[in-house]
Amino acid sequence: MAEAVAEETGAGGGTGTAEEAGTGTGPGLGPGSGSGSAVETGPGYGSAVETGPGSGSAVETGPGYGSAEETVTVGFRGDRSGRAPLTWGQRAIWHAIRRTAPNDHYFNIGRVLPLADRGRPATVAGATAALTALVERHESLRTRLELSADGTEAAQDLAATGSLPVTLARAQDPAEAERTAHALLDRLSATRFAYASEWPVRAALVAVGDRVTHAVLVLCHLAADGHGAEVLVRDLRLLVRRGSAGRPPATTPLDLAREQHGETGRRRGAAALEHWESGYRAAPATMFPDPVAAPRAPRFWTGRIVSPALARAVAAVAAAHRVSGSTVLLTAAAVLVAAGQGHRTAAVMPIVGNRTSAAHRDLVTTLSQDGLFILDTGTGTGTGTDTGTTPAPPTFTDLLPTAYRAALRAYRAAVYDPAAWDALGVRLRTETGAEVHPYCCFNDMRLVERPAPPGPAPTAAELAELRGRTAFGFPATQERVACRYCLHITEEGDALAVSLTADTAYLPPETVRAHLYGIEELIVAAASGRSLPLTGVRDLLETTAAEEVRA
């Protein structure tokens, strides 16, 4: 996402420039990294384990972890305690958690940090000391949810002291350590957090002998978004290697909450919601108004395409049209959704990282919120001349300049109070008699968008050869997700991985597949010099869906 201007996309991820993309999830939607199957974890993860003030660690070999595991209690002492309202990002994800419960482990964010790859060996004592310093450095890791007696109001409660249970697993060799780390990631990710009583981080260490080979972090989404998770991984690596992670973040979640709930924050939020209201009035009430099939069981299916051709094509199209790769992908998704549902105008909610401020770059919290991207797919320049001939119909790439400007407007209006956003929805529903919500979300989870490689753009023949390596499958299902269309962009080696989690009542599995292959076809065709006319997009979807039915 290497725009020269302040473009942002995505929930909590960041890029090396002023444009941002996201990892993790935002208010409506997708999974954080590392969600596993619904397996109960061992003791110590359902509540916080408190000891007296002071830092340090003690080893407990409590029951429940098996002979190869023990619990290390890591004490911490921060600079202060305090209470504040939830930040807007925290309030947004809390609303999503409540809508998704009891399946809200879906929002957990997990990371595995290898520690034996370079540098001095990390001892168990050194790694636990680094975890202590990490929790003391980042206030969000010492902050729990405070609920009102009736459960309707939530605030954040920062503790100065406490202790964190850490699983210490022993492995026989590096290969077993790698497997153990990922098994711990799955296990610790698989259950919802106890938001009011549990610290918002679950940690584990894997050791071969006295050398720690891996650290595992699983984060509550109230404490961090995807970008914040990467900050924690970076800081933990530095604390293990050097004993210091440098200057602390410039601000804290507590201070941010007080700023947002002040007069300046309220003015900014009101201006953002003016964009939302005008966008809502220009778009269909929802992108998926009517069920088209009996829902499957489980109801929500995730389709996933992994495409090396798409990675090359996105970079080539972005460079050719001077937009970001994220804009290319967002536009393709919007065009397909609008065409598939018979809408002229697309409304998509990209998850926005909100980290353009220098004070927020290293802040570990949830800053990501939904934006509103509105694209009139009937606005193309065409390629006709002044000879009196009928202009050619607009193509996919004709939309990119308009889409780029629409994306910027969406990203700039993605900081607002979710309570006021809810009130706007209620007012419009009362006024129009219909629920107003796109139920169509986009999350570019890449932290940094890779630029196009040096040299000439890929040829049509090269892209066709790469498409032979495209892989597709349905890797997951869910009983409940608070959206109908949730698109996630990640990388897998030299390929782009695009996942679509959809409500099968509105997008049956064959339609999910058609949308994912449709994104690949639109962008690869554009990179090959044959940008598809917008009038042909619906046929593309229907043809691809029919191919799946025959298969």
Side-chain angles (χ1 to χ4, degrees), residues 215-305:
V216 179
L217 298 177
V218 173
L219 302 162
C220 172
H221 211 331
L222 284 166
D225 52 25
H227 182 101
E230 296 304 320
V231 172
L232 289 173
V233 167
R234 179 202 67 191
D235 286 359
L236 182 56
R237 180 183 287 111
L238 290 171
L239 289 164
V240 169
R241 300 290 188 219
R242 304 177 186 175
S244 172
R247 291 183 179 180
T251 189
T252 70
L254 219 62
D255 297 332
L256 177 62
R258 292 164 178 162
E259 174 190 323
Q260 289 180 336
H261 289 273
E263 183 58 33
T264 300
R266 285 193 291 269
R267 285 198 302 269
R268 180 180 181 182
L273 290 179
E274 289 177 3
H275 165 82
W276 279 83
E277 181 168 357
S278 64
Y280 276 156
R281 294 187 184 280
T286 180
M287 297 308 294
F288 303 97
D290 301 308
V292 298
R296 304 292 182 96
R299 180 163 181 151
F300 292 85
W301 285 37
T302 297
R304 186 170 187 262
I305 191 172

Side-chain angles (χ1 to χ4, degrees), residues 74-144:
V74 176
F76 56 82
R77 178 188 289 276
D79 292 335
R80 62 172 181 167
S81 60
R83 183 184 181 279
L86 296 183
T87 67
W88 292 345
Q90 288 171 329
R91 182 175 283 181
I93 197 63
W94 178 238
H95 288 186
I97 286 169
R98 292 179 67 185
R99 290 195 302 268
T100 310
N103 296 322
D104 42 305
H105 68 282
Y106 184 73
F107 293 104
N108 295 346
I109 301 173
R111 296 290 186 268
V112 172
L113 171 60
L115 291 173
D117 50 347
R118 62 183 184 275
R120 65 181 183 182
T123 63
V124 172
T128 54
L131 284 171
T132 295
L134 189 75
V135 176
E136 292 174 348
R137 176 181 175 87
H138 294 288
E139 291 188 355
S140 65
L141 302 185
R142 299 183 271 118
T143 300
R144 292 174 290 200

Side-chain angles (χ1 to χ4, degrees), residues 29-31 106 288 299-306 333 336-337 348 439-443 445 472-478 481 483-490 497-504 506-519 541:
L29 356 174
Y106 184 73
F288 303 97
R299 180 163 181 151
F300 292 85
W301 285 37
T302 297
R304 186 170 187 262
I305 191 172
V306 181
L336 287 158
V337 167
V348 182
Y439 288 113
C440 183
C441 304
F442 175 92
N443 189 2
M445 299 170 70
F472 173 83
F474 287 102
T477 59
Q478 304 271 351
V481 177
C483 198
R484 294 171 187 165
Y485 174 108
C486 305
L487 196 76
H488 295 81
I489 314 297
T490 58
V498 184
S499 299
L500 174 56
T501 299
D503 185 334
T504 55
Y506 296 86
L507 291 102
E510 63 271 15
T511 306
V512 170
R513 179 184 181 276
H515 273 265
L516 292 171
Y517 274 105
I519 289 171
L541 279 172

